[in-house]
Structure formats: structure tokens, C-alpha cells
Amino acid sequence: MPKNSKVVKRELDDDVTESVKDLLSNEDSADDAFKTSELIVDSPEEKDTDVEEGSEVEDERPAWNSKLQYILAQVGFSVGLGNVWRFPYLCQKNGGGAYLLPYLILLMVIGIPLFFLELSVGQRIRRGSIGVWNYISPKLGGIGFASCVVCYFVALYYNVIIGWSLFYFSQSFQQPLPWDQCPLVKNASHTFVEPECEQSSATTYYWYREALNISSSISESGGLNWKMTICLLAAWVMVCLAMIKGIQSSGKIIYFSSLFPYVVLICFLIRAFLLNGSIDGIRHMFTPKLEIMLEPKVWREAATQVFFALGLGFGGVIAFSSYNKRDNNCHFDAVLVSFINFFTSVLATLVVFAVLGFKANVINEKCITQNSEMIMKFLQMGNISQDIIPHHINLSAVTAEDYHLVYDIIQKVKEEEFPALHLNSCQIEEELNKAVQGTGLAFIAFTEAMTHFPASPFWSVMFFLMLVNLGLGSMFGTIEGIVTPIVDTFKVRKEILTVICCLLAFCIGLIFVQRSGNYFVTMFDDYSATLPLLIVVILENIAVCFVYGIDKFMEDLKDMLGFAPSRYYYYMWKYISPLMLLSLLIASVVNMGLSPPGYNAWIEDKASEEFLSYPTWGLVVCVSLVVFAILPVPVVFIVRRFNLIDDSSGNLASVTYKRGRVLKEPVNLEGDDTSLIHGKISSEMASPNFGKNIYRKQSGSPTLDTAPNGRYGIGYLMADIMPDMPESDL
């Protein structure tokens, strides 16, 4: 329906074709009982009916309470942990501020157009991912099932990260923080520092030994880590309770889970600016390295980040938008959410680099103090002459500038002997250049920085509560991407399905809370989503542009939005985006082939990480993750192509009338030019028609204008097919 239209226009010609509702309203008064009843043929009752604005029949599909709630849900889904610990790492690694340029370009070319595409098909068809792609082409219905499988794989390990955050959150109510100092070990004779901690650091030791109690390889399971098992259970209980009523329950939590991270990030940014060294970190971030920006690897990683930052292909975007009104301006939503996501990543990067700048400054000061003491010892022993030290420099309280001056002098004077002195240059840039991402950033580098904050427990509580909320926001969209399509397709109760889904996920997720569980998280993160999601989104693009038809799709958008979208999207969807996605897929496959499949294992004896290759069974699991995620696409195509499952619905599909309105539309209509309703079984049919040309002209009637959403087309068709059949015989 065109935007802001409140009344359906009717033809004023002599031959006026009436809707089913109008026809029924003109029947004899004896049929009043029929008009208020409903007739169902071969179909369960549809709850999510499609209605015109102003109709007395309300749409029973759940809906968002407000536009703000919907926007916050989409923002909460797209803004996740990757914005905090992946984007800053890529920015640091790929040219600092120069990385923002390729990211923005690819956001415009890949991100916004494809995000707009998913929003529009979900809003128009009002189904989850399975129903949407079944509706467009039954042979491509496997796209929706593949999205559900990938969503489930991601949910399995993503909630483990929320469990880790819950554990650190629970341990943050202590002064000092438990990861502030290395633990002491007592024996019969004396007390000493734990060797594993002394060789690494207090935060590294706490993460690997106290939190994960990690084993030395993926083959060594080591049994369950009971602390993390309890945290994983708590995480799944939170998700289940929030999602048990769908958007009716999660919508109330979204206000907090989506907005709270911004409060924390802004508080951290203000606090970090007041700390010594934060400006050094931000300056390091925004110093562009233009030569790096020209490397193909930078563009590949930027495209991958854009792709996953918006949650494309998961089905959560489609599921959330399916609860919108059909005249909602989803183009505005696509642009708004995409840029909120981008600016959130920049804000998180500012916070991370400001805090890491402070941490680097603290470490640098310790380095200068230790090396100054070494220089004073060399002076006392006569290894270095006192004459070369400038008289104004006091080595017992030396500044960074004075230390670097002394270091340079000693390096020039003791040119041959200098390496034997083992002095460190103590440059703050060296510390900032240590690229850290993922769990290493959140649970090691950031936790170490917070130990130096005044009132460190408060900031630790805020930080890990923020991670929990970021994770929950993404989990809501992920679970919605699983539950909504299944509920729409198989008509099961959402509450029961949600509980079963979460319970099964917790049981499977126990492999991630073994002592070797962190290695399985790495495996799933590397192989369960990247390639399958790229293939899913490529197929989505092909389905809309080349199966359904880009021209017809643009007309549908004009009909739905009330204005014609820019031709920019036409060329992006038809030419640029498919080529870019295909190039990204090829680059990802090549990169995966060149990178040996393996993981970084924590070796207790060395107190350091070491790269290990997956065992044979591990390689089988990696391949299986990719195959199982993509398998629904060819399976559904073959089943539908060769009719391996018999459709016993007959020539006329199930039809449901409710108070004179058509709820279920017929299928297998010979000669109808609307491809979207051709050859569907009743469970696949969505309530609205995606195309416009559903009306069929009656005998001797003038050409009819198409209705905005094809509401009453079936009424006309039935009147044309069975003009002599009494209404009571239907």
C-alpha cells in the first residue's frame, strides 16, 4: 500500500468489481451467521492475517510497540562483540585511520544495499527466512533453512562468550581484582610466585588457568569446567526467558540491552581521556598508513567486517522486519542502522585505543624505571662512564624524554658492546603496535588496563556488564532468526520451540565448557559461519534480482514505500553487489586454503601460546560444519525440482475465510502471471502477495487497476472460475 494512504481507491466505472467482503455484505440477511463465521478447508487457522489499513480485522501477527523499539532491536542485533574487539583490531592492523575509508566505501556498496534488501523482503512478505525464500522461489527454499542452521551454529558458541563475560562480571566485586596480582604458592620451606603466571602476566594467567583451566590441546578434553558450565547455563536461561514470548518479551529488554552499552562506552571514553597516555593511543589509531590501504588483504578484511557487522544472512534482520507494518520506511531504517553500527565501531575503537594508550603508558613507565636502574648499576660497575651522562639528568627520577636521550647516547658510545647490555628502548609505540583482538583484547589486555584504574572493580563491573548486554542483543536476533521461520512454516508454539531450542543448545554447548572448549570456540568461529553466510547472501541476491526479477522488485518497493527507491540500488543489486560478494567468497576460500587449519594452544610449561594443527578428526569437523550449513540449499532444490515429496493439496489450495476476508490464497493457478504464488503448498504460503498483478479480469469487465498489496485477488479469481456455484457450496 502506498505510504500514508488511508482508503483503498475503487473504480467509479459502471462495472465495479467488488471485493469478497463487499460480495458477502450484500448477501441475504439469512447468511449473517455465515458472514461472522469462518470456513477452513484443509488448513490450520492462520494467525497472521494480512489486512488493509483501517480494516476492522486486525493483523494477529505480533508487532513492535513502537518504531524506536524496532530500531533498537535491529541495532542490538547488528552491534555486537565484534564492534568492540574486532573492529579496533582491524583498524590497528590495516592502516589506522586510513582503514575507515575502504570500510565506508564497502559499507555503501555491500552493506547498506543488502541490508535494505533483507529488510524489505521481510517487511513485505511478513515471514521468517524460510517463508520468505519459499515464497519467492520454492526451489530456493533451502536458503532459509541454511540461515537457520548457521544461526544455530553461531548461537552455540556465541552464548559461551556471554558465559565467560558473566564469570568475569561475578568476579569483579572484589578489591583488589582477582587478576591484579600473580598468586603465591606455598610449600614446606618457602613461598614463591606461581611460575606460569610469572612467565606470562597476571591477567593472562587468570584467563587461561583460573577461568578456562585450559588444556594443552584440543585432543585433551580434560572434563567439564564446572564454573563455566554454570555460567553457560545462566546465559541460556537469560536468553530463553527473554525470547520465550518472541518480540513481546524481548522487546521490553531491548531498551536496556541496546542502550546500556552506549552509556558504558561514553563513560569509559570520558574516564580514559582523563588518564595519562590516552591521547597517545588515539593519536596512534588515527595516524594513517596509506601504503597499507592499497593492499588487497585490507579490502577483503573490511568487506568481511561489513558483512558480519550488519548480520547479513543470519535471518535475524528478516525476522525482526517481518513484524513491521507494511508501509514502514525500511529504506530509512537500513541507512540509519548501518551508520549507527559504523559510528558505534568508531566509538568503541576510540575507547579501546584510549585505554590501551593508558596501559601502554603504565607499562612504558615501568620499563623506563627498570632500565634506569640497570644503567645506574652499569655506572657503579664502571661498564658505562659517568661522563657520557648529561649532568641535568637524574636517573633515579628520569622522564621518558631524558631516558630516550640517555639510551641514544649509550647506543652510540657503546656501539659494539651495546647488545650485551640488554637495555630496552621503552617506546610507547612498540606496546601500541601489539595487535590484540577477540578474547585476548577483552579478557587480557582490557582487564589488565582496568587494574590500573582508580576504583577498578566499578569499571570492571561496568565493562563486563556491557559485554553481556552486547552479546544478548545479538543473541536475541540470532534466536529470532531460528525460531520465527520455524514457527511461521511449521505452526508450532513459539514458547515450546524456544525452550527446546535453548535446552538442546545448552546440551550441545557443553563441548565448549570442557577444558579444551576454547579451541572448539575458535573452530566454530572460523568455519561455521564465514563461507556458508557468504553463499547464503549471494543466493539471496540472485533470488531477488534474477529469479523474481529486479524490475518487479523495484515496483514492489515503490508500492510498499510510497516512493521509488534510488536507481543506485538497482545497479548495486543487479551488478555490483553480486560481483563483490563473489569476489569476497573466492578470496575467503583462497585465504582459507592458504592458511593451515589450526588453533593457538596454551602451553602450560612455556606459559605461552603455540600454533597447533587440527588432528584428522578436527579437520573432519571443520569440513562438516561448512557442509552441514550449506546442505539444505541443494537438498531442497533437488526435492522441489524433481518433486520427490508429493504435494497432496490438490488443484486448489487451502482457503480460509474469516469474517468475509481471504486468509489463505490458492496455488497452482494456471495462467496467473504472479510467480510468487505459483506452486506453493499451504504451509509455504505467506498471507500477502508479493507481486501486484494478482487481479484477474472478469468476463466483460474493464481492465482493473492492481491493488496495492493484492489483497482480494483470490475473491475475483474464484468468482471468475466458479460463477455459478452457490456460496454455501464453497
Side-chain angles (χ1 to χ4, degrees), residues 75-326:
V75 168
F77 175 52
S78 65
V79 174
L81 297 173
N83 296 75
V84 174
W85 66 31
R86 177 71 179 168
F87 188 90
Y89 162 76
L90 293 174
C91 192
Q92 177 186 21
K93 175 185 174 186
N94 295 320
Y99 173 74
L100 300 180
L101 180 60
Y103 186 88
L104 263 177
I105 292 173
L106 291 166
L107 181 66
M108 299 296 295
V109 173
I110 294 179
I112 295 177
L114 294 175
F115 193 60
F116 179 31
L117 185 145
E118 289 201 354
L119 286 179
S120 57
V121 296
Q123 179 175 307
R124 181 68 167 183
I125 301 177
R126 311 201 75 197
R127 287 291 183 271
S129 55
I130 296 176
V132 161
W133 305 115
N134 266 342
Y135 200 85
I136 287 181
S137 174
K139 293 175 185 175
L140 294 177
I143 297 174
F145 288 99
S147 291
C148 289
V149 173
V150 174
C151 272
Y152 206 69
F153 282 162
V154 171
L156 289 175
Y157 74 86
Y158 203 87
N159 222 23
V160 175
I161 301 173
I162 298 178
W164 294 342
S165 302
L166 285 173
F167 173 76
Y168 268 80
F169 171 75
S170 67
Q171 299 299 307
S172 297
F173 296 90
Q174 304 179 43
Q175 178 67 26
L177 291 169
W179 50 83
D180 187 29
Q181 301 289 336
C182 284
L184 299 176
V185 180
K186 296 181 180 180
N187 59 16
S189 58
H190 62 284
T191 302
F192 57 92
V193 177
E194 171 64 49
E196 185 181 1
C197 183
E198 191 174 24
Q199 295 177 52
S200 54
S201 69
T203 51
T204 304
Y205 173 81
Y206 191 87
W207 166 242
Y208 284 116
R209 191 54 52 212
E210 296 293 336
L212 300 181
N213 193 21
I214 200 165
S215 61
S216 297
S217 73
I218 195 171
S219 301
E220 181 187 339
S221 71
L224 290 178
N225 181 339
W226 67 268
K227 292 180 289 188
M228 288 305 170
T229 304
I230 293 173
C231 291
L232 179 64
L233 177 62
W236 275 115
V237 168
M238 291 168 62
V239 171
C240 184
L241 293 177
M243 296 301 300
I244 196 163
K245 294 285 187 181
I247 64 170
Q248 295 172 335
S249 54
S250 65
K252 299 177 177 63
I253 303 172
I254 281 168
Y255 289 103
F256 179 77
S257 64
S258 296
L259 293 175
F260 181 74
Y262 290 95
V263 175
V264 175
L265 286 174
I266 292 171
C267 291
F268 260 99
L269 186 62
I270 295 171
R271 185 67 189 91
F273 273 136
L274 301 176
L275 297 172
N276 187 29
S278 60
I279 302 300
D280 295 325
I282 293 175
R283 188 189 302 117
H284 179 80
M285 169 199 165
F286 281 109
T287 302
K289 303 178 183 68
L290 298 176
E291 67 281 358
I292 298 179
M293 194 181 73
L294 300 177
E295 297 178 6
K297 181 182 178 183
V298 174
W299 291 80
R300 178 182 63 80
E301 292 189 340
T304 305
Q305 179 63 18
V306 166
F307 187 84
F308 289 107
L310 294 175
L312 300 174
F314 280 96
V317 173
I318 294 176
F320 279 153
S321 65
S322 72
Y323 299 113
N324 266 333
K325 295 180 180 178
R326 196 161 290 105

Side-chain angles (χ1 to χ4, degrees), residues 347-386:
L347 174 62
T349 304
L350 283 171
V351 171
V352 167
F353 274 91
V355 172
L356 292 182
F358 163 70
K359 171 177 171 279
N361 193 271
V362 170
I363 293 174
N364 199 54
E365 288 178 356
K366 290 181 179 179
C367 176
I368 290 174
T369 301
Q370 293 172 354
N371 282 269
S372 297
E373 292 174 354
M374 292 175 62
I375 293 174
M376 292 170 66
K377 289 181 181 179
F378 291 141
L379 289 172
Q380 293 174 1
M381 296 169 59
N383 294 345
I384 299 176
S385 172
Q386 184 70 45

Side-chain angles (χ1 to χ4, degrees), residues 33-52:
F34 171 78
K35 287 186 286 185
T36 57
S37 65
E38 63 177 34
L39 171 63
I40 300 176
V41 183
D42 267 338
S43 173
E45 180 179 350
E46 282 270 54
K47 289 187 177 181
D48 43 348
T49 67
D50 181 36
V51 298
E52 291 282 351

Side-chain angles (χ1 to χ4, degrees), residues 573-715:
W573 287 329
K574 190 170 184 180
Y575 303 111
I576 307 301
S577 294
L579 291 175
M580 294 289 291
L581 287 172
L582 192 59
S583 301
L584 181 58
L585 176 63
I586 294 171
S588 299
V589 171
V590 170
N591 180 66
M592 195 172 288
L594 295 177
S595 304
Y599 59 99
N600 289 318
W602 179 257
I603 308 302
E604 183 176 359
D605 297 335
K606 299 178 181 178
S608 63
E609 289 185 336
E610 182 177 313
F611 184 82
L612 299 179
S613 297
Y614 286 117
T616 304
W617 64 265
L619 294 175
V620 172
V621 173
C622 292
V623 174
S624 300
L625 289 174
V626 178
V627 171
F628 283 142
I630 294 300
L631 196 59
V633 176
V635 167
V636 172
F637 180 84
I638 293 171
V639 168
R640 297 267 168 83
R641 175 66 178 82
F642 298 103
N643 296 320
L644 299 182
I645 297 179
D646 183 39
D647 181 9
S648 58
S649 59
N651 293 329
L652 197 62
S654 309
V655 180
T656 301
Y657 290 93
K658 183 172 182 178
R659 297 174 66 183
R661 296 192 53 85
V662 177
L663 307 187
K664 201 73 170 179
E665 300 183 349
V667 301
N668 297 332
L669 301 171
E670 296 298 331
D672 196 288
D673 60 345
T674 306
S675 60
L676 293 180
I677 63 167
H678 188 74
K680 317 288 190 301
I681 60 174
S682 59
S683 63
E684 296 166 350
M685 290 300 299
S687 52
N689 176 33
F690 203 94
K692 292 176 65 179
N693 302 323
I694 188 172
Y695 281 24
R696 179 162 301 177
K697 181 182 176 183
Q698 293 187 22
S699 301
S701 66
T703 302
L704 294 171
D705 290 339
T706 55
N709 289 319
R711 314 287 194 204
Y712 303 113
I714 305 309

